[in-house]
Amino acid sequence: MFHDAGMCGFAVTLGGLRGSAAFNSQSQQGSVKMNQVMSSWQQRGWRLLGGLLLIAGLAACGAPPSAQDALQVAESASAAPRTPRVESTLGTQWGEGRESVTRTVEAARLDPERPRTVAQLRYSDEVSIRRALGRSIDQQLSVQLADGDVEWVVQDGQGRPLPIYTMRGARDYQLAGRHGERYELVYSNRSQRHYEVVVTVDGLDVLTGQAGSVRNAGYLLRPGETLRIEGFRKSQREVAAFRFAGKERAYAGNTPAGDARNVGVIGAALFEVRLQGRDAARPAPEPRGAAEPAAFPADGRYAPPPQYRR
């Protein structure tokens, strides 16, 4: 069954068994808004049956390892130094409604047993982060996922990237938020692969509001496209915006499925997927600006992002 919202951009969700940190407990950038995809799947051995994917588009366009095990693997990826623990002073509140239209497609995980990448961002206010990290602090504006295939940025309501801090050489990321600020999770696919992005905020799945698990549904991220997730999904047409607030106002602490102990962390798991049905035959979109002529092509240009072939 398809709920077509247009052809602006895409993203994947493969959901199924609900499980239990981050996993315990949309759109191409530019003048157009984005589409997202959500699916539901059931696993039998190495095969995935009838994945129902939901692609969400905003209006301007028209058994695996346990979650805790996966996070431990991600957090101990190397012998890198660990960032001192920063006590979160913020949570994510259920914000105002924002339009986000959806349609459904079919897809299957290539390896339902194992995500390609599991990552998390802990967040707090900037003063607390800087105090905890001291002079060894290092700042960046994005996180590379799946060996650089996907770039993850957290933007504020004006589209500006929020700073991400670590100790030099460490991989324990600390996101600096501001009380009352709206934020969005932005994923850009630099590869030719189709990815499913399973996302949690404060331990809750952003699609269902239930306890997060890598077995849950995600968003479809097509090659060369950008996925923008603006909030917790309320329906096929609307999300509730992510807003930083005091921990006592966090959605996870004020809903039966939530756990206040998980407030202060955002999780992302990536699975490579294969589209099925009619969407499998849809041609890949042309890169934006590829056909635009340039009178002085060597002037005024910066380094473009990579486009990985595989």
Side-chain angles (χ1 to χ4, degrees):
M1 181 172 96
F2 288 76
H3 301 281
D4 201 340
M7 308 297 287
C8 285
F10 297 84
V12 182
T13 66
L14 299 172
L17 305 176
R18 304 302 183 201
S20 106
F23 289 96
N24 177 42
S25 350
Q26 352 201 284
S27 85
Q28 228 167 348
Q29 285 180 304
S31 60
V32 296
K33 298 184 182 178
M34 115 143 245
N35 294 339
Q36 295 174 327
V37 182
M38 175 178 116
S39 79
S40 127
W41 60 286
Q42 287 185 339
Q43 173 190 338
R44 291 185 181 177
W46 294 98
R47 304 188 64 184
L48 179 66
L49 300 180
L52 184 62
L53 295 167
L54 178 121
I55 300 177
L58 295 182
C61 187
S66 72
Q68 192 61 41
D69 290 342
L71 285 173
Q72 289 173 352
V73 170
E75 291 181 339
S76 61
S78 70
R82 292 186 61 82
T83 301
R85 182 172 181 82
V86 180
E87 186 65 30
S88 178
T89 60
L90 298 173
T92 296
Q93 189 171 16
W94 177 280
E96 70 280 5
R98 302 185 68 84
E99 187 174 15
S100 176
V101 183
T102 65
R103 72 180 181 94
T104 59
V105 300
E106 295 180 16
R109 289 179 177 176
L110 299 188
D111 185 354
E113 295 290 337
R114 188 180 302 276
R116 174 81 187 276
T117 294
V118 178
Q120 66 179 23
L121 298 175
R122 297 188 181 277
Y123 64 88
S124 188
D125 69 280
E126 188 164 8
V127 172
S128 297
I129 294 173
R130 286 185 171 276
R131 182 185 302 118
L133 302 191
R135 295 184 178 181
S136 296
I137 195 169
D138 193 23
Q139 179 179 343
Q140 59 196 72
L141 297 178
S142 66
V143 174
Q144 300 297 308
L145 305 176
D147 197 26
D149 276 5
V150 175
E151 183 177 25
W152 181 11
V153 179
V154 181
Q155 296 181 347
D156 66 16
Q158 288 71 50
R160 298 170 299 198
L162 296 177
I164 299 170
Y165 295 101
T166 62
M167 287 184 62
R168 292 185 180 91
R171 297 184 182 180
D172 296 332
Y173 302 111
Q174 306 286 338
L175 174 71
R178 295 183 291 272
H179 191 283
E181 183 76 62
R182 184 173 70 84
Y183 71 89
E184 302 173 353
L185 308 176
V186 183
Y187 303 86
S188 297
N189 190 349
R190 310 296 187 196
S191 76
Q192 298 302 306
R193 298 180 172 94
H194 290 80
Y195 279 107
E196 175 195 12
V197 186
V198 182
V199 179
T200 66
V201 171
D202 294 346
L204 294 178
D205 189 293
V206 299
L207 291 166
T208 66
Q210 301 302 303
S213 170
V214 295
R215 303 183 185 187
N216 285 1
Y219 284 92
L220 175 66
L221 179 57
R222 292 181 183 268
E225 295 190 348
T226 297
L227 164 67
R228 184 180 300 275
I229 302 175
E230 298 185 74
F232 295 104
R233 180 152 295 283
K234 298 171 66 176
S235 70
Q236 289 191 342
R237 303 189 63 87
E238 186 180 1
V239 296
F242 298 136
R243 280 199 178 273
F244 291 118
K247 296 178 70 173
E248 73 283 355
R249 304 299 296 176
Y251 175 48
N254 293 278
T255 186
D259 187 334
R261 294 173 296 181
N262 293 325
V263 171
V265 62
I266 302 169
L270 267 61
F271 291 86
E272 189 174 355
V273 298
R274 178 177 56 252
L275 296 186
Q276 299 176 331
R278 291 187 298 176
D279 278 79
R282 191 175 71 87
E286 290 290 331
R288 294 188 63 201
E292 296 177 3
F296 301 96
D299 294 341
R301 300 296 178 95
Y302 297 98
Q307 297 178 359
Y308 296 110
R309 301 304 176 193
R310 276 307 295 170

